[in-house]
Amino acid sequence: MSTDHAFPPGFLWGAATSAYQIEGDPLADGAGPSIWHRFSHTPGRVAGNATGDLACDHYHRAQEDVALMANLGLNAYRFSIAWGRVLPDGRGRVNQRGLDFYQRLVDRLLEQDIQPMITLYHWDLPTALHDRGGWLNPESPAWFADYAQVLFRALDDRVAAWVTINEPWVAAVLGHLEGVHAPGHADAFEAARVTHHLLLAHAEACAVYRAIGAHQIGIALNLEPQYPASDSAADRAAADRRDAFINRWLLDPLFFGRYPEAMPAIFGPAWPDFPSADLERIRRPADFIGVNYYSRGWVQADPSAWPLGATRIQRTDAPSTAMGWEVYPNGLTETLLRLKTQYGNPPAYITENGAAFEDPAPVEDRVEDAHRVAYLRDHITAAGAALQEGVNLRGYFLWSLLDNFEWAEGYTKRFGLYRVDPEEQRRIPKASADFYRKVIASNGVGM
Ligand SMILES: OC[C@@H]1[C@@H](O)[C@H](O)[C@@H](O)c2[nH]c(CCc3ccccc3)c[n+]21
């Protein structure tokens, strides 16, 4: 069977980044600080006490980086806007110099026939809003809708697609339940309310966009299929709980207007009784679903593991990435097929897919990252297989264009097609960049 999964004409081939991870200089030109600026500057929170102060210096190198994208042949680019650059206080006063950076970036992309896909929120909440309760404050959806409106009015004439929120689950669970991401809270009673307000924020921004927008708007979810580590009833039930906790907690309200029945059981008294009117608002039909796929969960029952009674275990008999995530391309096909069979086959983009590996050192200004080439080949093939099964897939955004600030891992994990070291800032091409250039040129993974 040919593995040459031809993709349809007009399929988007992009790369993805986010503001705090690549821009650097987070307070330049009047910008206000974000919770990730505060968190990374708190000793002990990030590997090596790294911060986003330098990152890839993209705030000053955007023109060079757009030239890299054009050289790859990208026809789309997903990036996020730092809320605090545009609204330093999170609300009210617009910082024109911050907004101008994004105006120039969009214009440079369009000059190269690269379609912008803009993420409005990729975890960098202004501290001014966090200090007013942040996503725990019931006013937070309105704050977000007001911020979104400023950007819609400024950029919607040139932007093909908007992503409201990147991975509400990660923002809520890693930021408010596990405490390993900003704002570093570890409070069982926060995650459910933060998730609810993030979903309401998405819905309010969609409502604003319906009134003034002319293109597409969606949300990006980290979706991870869950598999029982054995066929025991306990492990199968554990996998089902983890599927509800990671996937259906977000998919079901967005598509069905209801939370999974497992949630009150998982969270117990920490699960509020949410008003059904809220769920009706959340079920606003966005135009597309963004899928951030990296790996699958291999799940074992574990009564000691609160709140799920389940843990994701590391398989010793399967390849994994530097993040400890199993390489499992079939999980991407299965995740996409699930959207078709269980959620009405909505228009979908793979808004993130990629891998960190211990890359070899550069030799003559090139990095031979064979593992990443294999990972990308297998996952792009898996995406093609989903298309062959009728999944409504519109594009693929590779995570990431550049090695960048990998949140709590700092700069120790490299996902880029180009190697970047913050202290010297060169962009050194990897073999995966050449591979991806060929995929785009042939609109598929030819063999
Ligand atoms: O970890 C690689 C990327 C991040 O750099 C992106 O900012 C973020 O959108 C993203 N999401 C995921 C999957 C969910 C996840 C996020 C962070 C840590 C662990 C799992 C992987 N990634």
Side-chain angles (χ1 to χ4, degrees):
M1 177 194 85
S2 157
T3 58
D4 181 357
H5 290 297
F7 288 77
F11 188 81
L12 294 189
W13 293 106
T17 64
S18 86
Y20 192 74
Q21 292 182 271
I22 68 164
E23 288 178 355
D25 217 350
L27 306 181
D29 297 335
S34 75
I35 55 174
W36 264 98
H37 179 72
R38 180 182 285 174
F39 188 76
S40 67
H41 280 265
T42 307
R45 293 298 207 167
V46 174
N49 287 325
T51 74
D53 290 356
L54 278 176
C56 306
D57 195 31
H58 177 73
Y59 189 73
H60 302 291
R61 295 169 189 261
Q63 185 146 4
E64 167 191 355
D65 290 335
V66 171
L68 281 187
M69 299 176 209
N71 179 266
L72 279 174
L74 301 186
N75 57 32
Y77 171 57
R78 177 181 175 231
F79 64 97
S80 81
I81 288 181
W83 189 335
R85 290 199 192 279
V86 176
L87 299 174
D89 308 317
R91 313 183 297 165
R93 171 177 65 90
V94 172
N95 176 35
Q96 194 57 45
R97 289 179 297 172
L99 186 53
D100 288 350
F101 168 73
Y102 296 108
Q103 301 265 22
R104 284 195 305 275
L105 174 57
V106 165
D107 290 341
R108 285 177 177 144
L109 289 167
L110 294 176
E111 283 160 14
Q112 302 294 336
D113 294 326
I114 298 171
Q115 289 191 47
M117 175 187 274
I118 295 182
T119 305
L120 288 165
Y121 186 69
H122 203 122
W123 307 348
D124 47 357
L125 184 72
T127 52
L129 296 180
H130 181 68
D131 293 344
R132 303 172 68 93
W135 291 111
L136 286 162
N137 189 324
E139 290 177 47
S140 50
W143 299 337
F144 181 72
D146 292 346
Y147 156 62
Q149 182 163 186
V150 169
L151 275 308
F152 295 153
R153 291 200 187 288
L155 292 168
D156 191 51
D157 59 326
R158 286 162 286 159
V159 170
W162 298 89
V163 173
T164 53
I165 310 270
N166 182 72
E167 301 186 341
W169 186 91
V170 173
V173 171
L174 273 62
H176 287 266
L177 183 62
E178 296 183 7
V180 294
H181 274 199
H185 293 190
D187 180 331
F189 282 77
E190 293 191 3
R193 281 187 293 138
V194 165
T195 304
H196 191 68
H197 290 155
L198 285 165
L199 286 172
L200 278 173
H202 162 73
E204 296 313 317
C206 285
V208 167
Y209 194 70
R210 288 291 165 253
I212 62 173
H215 300 105
Q216 305 281 298
I217 190 165
I219 189 169
L221 303 181
N222 53 296
L223 296 179
E224 183 188 86
Q226 303 300 313
Y227 298 78
S230 79
D231 63 3
S232 72
D235 284 356
R236 276 187 282 113
D240 285 348
R241 283 196 302 277
R242 201 158 189 273
D243 178 50
F245 181 64
I246 293 181
N247 302 314
R248 293 179 47 223
W249 184 0
L250 282 301
L251 287 169
D252 288 11
L254 286 166
F255 286 93
F256 305 142
R258 65 169 186 265
Y259 285 117
E261 63 294 337
M263 300 318 290
I266 289 169
F267 277 96
W271 184 265
D273 182 17
F274 295 110
S276 55
D278 285 359
L279 274 294
E280 260 320 292
R281 285 197 73 73
I282 288 166
R283 193 158 64 98
R284 282 283 172 275
D287 298 306
F288 66 84
I289 181 81
V291 176
N292 291 358
Y293 178 86
Y294 289 87
S295 182
R296 68 167 167 182
W298 192 247
V299 184
Q300 199 164 61
D302 175 356
S304 71
W306 188 89
L308 282 180
T311 44
R312 172 194 180 129
I313 58 172
Q314 182 77 35
R315 290 190 61 174
T316 52
D317 59 342
S320 63
T321 72
M323 298 291 279
W325 301 343
E326 182 187 352
V327 177
Y328 187 65
N330 285 347
L332 175 54
T333 310
E334 285 149 16
T335 296
L336 293 170
L337 281 174
R338 180 184 199 183
L339 292 178
K340 177 172 182 253
T341 57
Q342 295 179 20
Y343 292 94
N345 204 18
Y349 293 92
I350 295 167
T351 32
E352 288 178 28
N353 176 244
F357 291 104
E358 296 299 330
D359 288 340
V363 173
E364 289 169 13
D365 270 359
R366 185 181 157 80
V367 175
E368 289 301 334
D369 60 337
H371 288 298
R372 186 171 291 103
V373 171
Y375 179 99
L376 295 173
R377 178 191 303 282
D378 292 346
H379 285 79
I380 293 169
T381 300
L387 263 169
Q388 308 264 319
E389 305 268 346
V391 169
N392 197 352
L393 185 64
R394 306 286 179 84
Y396 175 90
F397 291 80
L398 194 153
W399 186 271
S400 180
L401 177 73
L402 306 171
D403 290 345
N404 59 51
F405 177 78
E406 179 49 39
W407 308 114
E409 312 283 342
Y411 297 100
T412 64
K413 299 288 184 292
R414 296 176 179 276
F415 281 85
L417 292 172
Y418 291 84
R419 177 189 176 102
V420 177
D421 292 298
E423 59 282 350
E424 53 144 20
Q425 290 298 341
R426 284 192 308 144
R427 276 76 169 130
I428 302 174
K430 303 182 189 177
S432 52
D434 294 338
F435 167 76
Y436 195 46
R437 184 182 296 107
K438 292 191 183 79
V439 167
I440 297 169
S442 56
N443 198 29
V445 180
M447 282 308 284

